[in-house]
Amino acid sequence: MKNILPFLLAASLLALFVSCGEPATPVDLKIVPNPVSVEYGGWGVKIPADATMPRLYAPIDKKLAPEEYILDTRRGKVKIRGGSDAAIFWGQQTLLQIIAQVKKQDGKRIPGVLIHDKPAFSYRGAHLDCCRHFFTVDEVKEFIDMIALHKINVFHWHLTEDQGWRAEIKAYPRLTEVGSVRAETLVGHYGSKEYDGTPYGGFYTQDEMRDVVAYAAAHHVTVIPEIEMPGHASAALASYPELGCRGADYPYKVQTTWGVFPEVFCAGNPETVTFLEKVLEEICDIFPSEYIHIGGDEAPREEWEKCPKCQALMKEKGFTREAELQSYLITTVEKYLADKGRKIIGWDEILDGGVSQSATVMSWRGAKGGIAAAKMGNDVIMTPNSHFYFDYYQTKDPADSGEPLAIGGYLPLRKCYSFDPFDQLNENEKAHIKGIQANIWTEYIATFDHVQQMALPRLAALAEVAWCPDNRTEYDDFVDRIVTGLLPIYDARGYNYAPYAFKDIE
Ligand SMILES: [Zn+2]
């Protein structure tokens, strides 16, 4: 017996060699967002010559958090354990990056690695304005593909605006018959006097919106629809002028230029509340999301100051400031949605005039609204224009860089990456920061190719801040991880990312 043991050991080692081939060449894997931990070791997994993916063994492990996953390639198989189907899906996104870079390096074997990963924030959002410019259902689905690749799990769908109402509402057919088309569009930058003379429109049927919701769910992305109130309402008022302070005879129009317009819903007309509730009833029927976004931003109050109906309501309610009318409308709608088991999110202006503590605030005018809201005890999604407005320029010298016309600003990849979500907050207040989001407003973005160029690679920075804010690396390393881990996938999928975005490396 004594002499047989070493022989058996040698034979079993030989068997291991035969079944697995030579050990994997160690590769320094580059992954965005940066996983919580990566340990190398073991044999790795051969990528079959005739397949893009090795076989995946994917068990649910209820001991893990809902979005936590463990990716293990140490023993000849790709295994992903996850706390839910979503967690396993995020693990697969990591696997895509690993395979892409191994193949790029001409490798046929995934190195042995144990990756343990989970997100810091449960809300990781990306917004797309489909009103200033309209994007088809297929383009919206591609946007969902893009964000899911970056482990972004919320698609905030901006559906109503001054320049176009995009959601079919059966109770109010004129919203899309009239409100989805503008007569023409401004040419060039704001302030230009030139228009293109061409009607522009488009909308989503309810079946199409349901199709998008299902597609997103299959990618573990929740769709949050946004219905703007009380401002950004020109398209709705062009359809139903009786809902505006200027009344049924006023020729409201779907706007043809950009900006903030005085035409808002009449807060003093009870029909306005009826309209908003009926619209939201249909929206809730289409979108199962816990949150419904009710806008609330950029609503001038001059019309309310002059409107007899609005002034009568103020008197009746004992309001002394028009801001309280905004608060009244928002809280009325919030109660209506709460009865349906939904919660509201609004832009940080909903804080004006007072807001209930159950409202979630989206801080867009920098981080200060979010900081104030967190200190008041409201939940907050940080989406500061200083760091996550992807309609801003990515280079300092757009003309030299070849960047197309944008709304303005300067928001390079480096700056997105530097955002501190917990600035100025104590431990209790930090708990109110529920997530991070980037916004893509499309006044100056007319094609989906251009959307991609504004989103990529900045979505990678959003992903890191939202998934692993405490596990970010030096900026140059982050860029290296994008170039190695993500660009091969962007290329393979034909994503039109901004090549000039990396110009800022110092
Ligand atoms: Zn009014």
Side-chain angles (χ1 to χ4, degrees):
M1 280 302 284
K2 213 167 118 188
N3 294 332
I4 290 176
L5 197 59
F7 171 76
L8 282 177
L9 204 64
S12 60
L13 270 176
L14 186 69
L16 208 61
F17 264 98
V18 170
S19 63
C20 301
E22 71 286 0
T25 319
V27 178
D28 181 18
L29 294 173
K30 310 285 185 186
I31 298 160
V32 179
N34 199 23
V36 171
S37 77
V38 180
E39 288 171 44
Y40 295 96
W43 295 92
V45 183
K46 196 173 175 201
I47 303 174
D50 56 348
T52 50
M53 272 271 189
R55 186 166 169 203
L56 177 65
Y57 297 84
I60 298 279
D61 182 345
K62 288 292 178 193
K63 290 195 289 297
L64 299 175
E67 293 195 281
E68 182 176 12
Y69 71 89
I70 295 172
L71 169 62
D72 186 352
T73 63
R74 294 171 302 172
R75 296 184 187 86
K77 286 180 181 172
V78 177
K79 282 168 65 177
I80 300 178
R81 281 191 289 139
S84 68
D85 288 339
I88 287 171
F89 182 77
W90 304 136
Q92 283 176 282
Q93 305 314 304
T94 298
L95 182 62
L96 283 179
Q97 291 186 46
I98 294 173
I99 291 172
Q101 60 200 278
V102 167
K103 287 198 162 178
K104 185 118 189 182
Q105 291 159 20
D106 228 13
K108 297 178 174 58
R109 178 172 282 276
I110 297 170
V113 70
L114 179 69
I115 294 176
H116 187 182
D117 204 7
K118 60 179 177 182
F121 291 107
S122 58
Y123 184 116
R124 307 177 299 280
H127 148 289
L128 183 63
D129 168 8
C130 292
C131 300
R132 271 55 175 265
H133 283 98
F134 179 77
F135 302 98
T136 65
V137 167
D138 283 345
E139 289 167 339
V140 169
K141 286 180 177 175
E142 191 163 6
F143 188 72
I144 290 166
D145 293 341
M146 286 161 54
I147 67 174
L149 172 67
H150 295 80
K151 304 189 178 90
I152 308 291
N153 65 348
V154 175
F155 168 44
H156 170 174
W157 200 0
H158 190 75
L159 287 166
T160 75
E161 257 307 334
D162 293 305
Q163 297 84 5
W165 182 286
R166 305 287 175 226
E168 180 193 25
I169 301 295
K170 302 213 187 230
Y172 295 98
R174 286 175 62 81
L175 286 170
T176 42
E177 287 164 11
V178 174
S180 73
V181 183
R182 60 178 177 255
E184 56 186 355
T185 303
L186 184 77
V187 175
H189 220 278
Y190 185 77
S192 150
K193 296 273 181 281
E194 195 189 334
Y195 289 82
D196 65 7
T198 309
Y200 183 95
F203 68 93
Y204 307 102
T205 66
Q206 296 202 348
D207 284 346
E208 286 173 330
M209 291 185 280
R210 285 196 174 89
D211 180 34
V212 167
V213 168
Y215 186 86
H219 292 72
H220 301 282
V221 170
T222 299
V223 184
I224 296 182
E226 181 180 358
I227 303 297
E228 276 271 18
M229 63 191 78
H232 291 295
S234 299
L237 297 178
S239 313
Y240 296 95
E242 63 272 26
L243 301 176
C245 293
R246 297 180 195 181
D249 297 333
Y250 186 79
Y252 287 102
K253 67 165 192 170
V254 183
Q255 303 292 353
T256 55
T257 185
W258 322 121
V260 176
F261 299 91
E263 295 92 333
V264 300
F265 285 115
C266 177
N269 181 351
E271 285 301 310
T272 297
V273 172
T274 306
F275 168 84
L276 293 173
E277 291 181 349
K278 279 192 177 167
V279 167
L280 290 170
E281 184 181 2
E282 294 190 28
I283 289 293
C284 286
D285 199 41
I286 299 163
F287 296 93
S289 56
E290 179 187 11
Y291 290 102
I292 303 290
H293 202 301
I294 48 79
D297 61 314
E298 297 181 326
R301 296 174 196 131
E302 300 96 82
E303 304 233 315
W304 291 348
E305 287 167 16
K306 290 179 280 187
C307 170
K309 285 181 187 161
C310 287
Q311 290 303 314
L313 183 68
M314 281 183 68
K315 206 170 165 195
E316 182 195 321
K317 300 276 180 192
F319 297 157
T320 53
R321 296 175 302 138
E322 276 71 20
E324 289 168 280
L325 283 177
Q326 157 124 351
S327 173
Y328 157 79
L329 261 190
I330 301 294
T331 49
T332 301
V333 164
E334 182 182 17
K335 281 194 201 100
Y336 175 79
L337 288 171
D339 286 346
K340 295 182 165 297
R342 310 301 181 96
K343 296 178 180 169
I344 61 162
I345 301 185
W347 301 107
D348 56 48
E349 286 96 330
I350 65 169
L351 293 169
D352 302 348
V355 67
S356 82
Q357 203 140 62
S358 49
T360 297
V361 173
M362 209 166 245
S363 182
W364 74 274
R365 295 175 295 181
K368 64 180 189 304
I371 294 167
K375 287 185 183 295
M376 284 162 55
N378 285 84
D379 284 346
V380 173
I381 310 296
M382 283 291 190
T383 175
N385 55 357
S386 54
H387 292 76
F388 291 115
Y389 263 42
F390 290 177
D391 54 338
Y392 287 10
Y393 285 112
Q394 303 184 61
T395 64
K396 236 178 215 161
D397 49 354
D400 288 353
S401 310
E403 260 201 282
L405 184 74
I407 196 162
Y410 171 50
L411 183 45
L413 183 66
R414 179 190 295 270
K415 184 154 188 211
C416 303
Y417 191 59
S418 71
F419 181 66
D420 174 5
F422 301 121
D423 185 34
Q424 299 175 45
L425 299 177
N426 67 28
E427 288 307 314
N428 289 339
E429 294 156 0
K430 282 179 186 176
H432 286 297
I433 307 297
K434 296 298 178 191
I436 314 287
Q437 178 173 297
N439 297 332
I440 304 180
W441 301 104
T442 59
E443 288 93 334
Y444 298 93
I445 306 176
T447 66
F448 192 68
D449 259 10
H450 192 181
V451 169
Q452 291 187 331
Q453 204 173 129
M454 301 308 267
L456 302 174
R458 288 187 286 197
L459 274 179
L462 171 74
E464 292 254 323
V465 176
W467 185 278
C468 57
D470 299 327
N471 196 25
R472 279 175 277 178
T473 60
E474 291 295 317
Y475 180 72
D476 288 355
D477 177 76
F478 167 58
V479 170
D480 190 25
R481 285 186 286 119
I482 295 176
V483 170
T484 310
L486 284 172
L487 291 199
I489 300 174
Y490 294 176
D491 286 335
R493 294 184 179 183
Y495 292 164
N496 180 37
Y497 62 90
Y500 44 78
F502 302 104
K503 233 183 124 203
D504 173 60
I505 298 171
E506 284 155 7

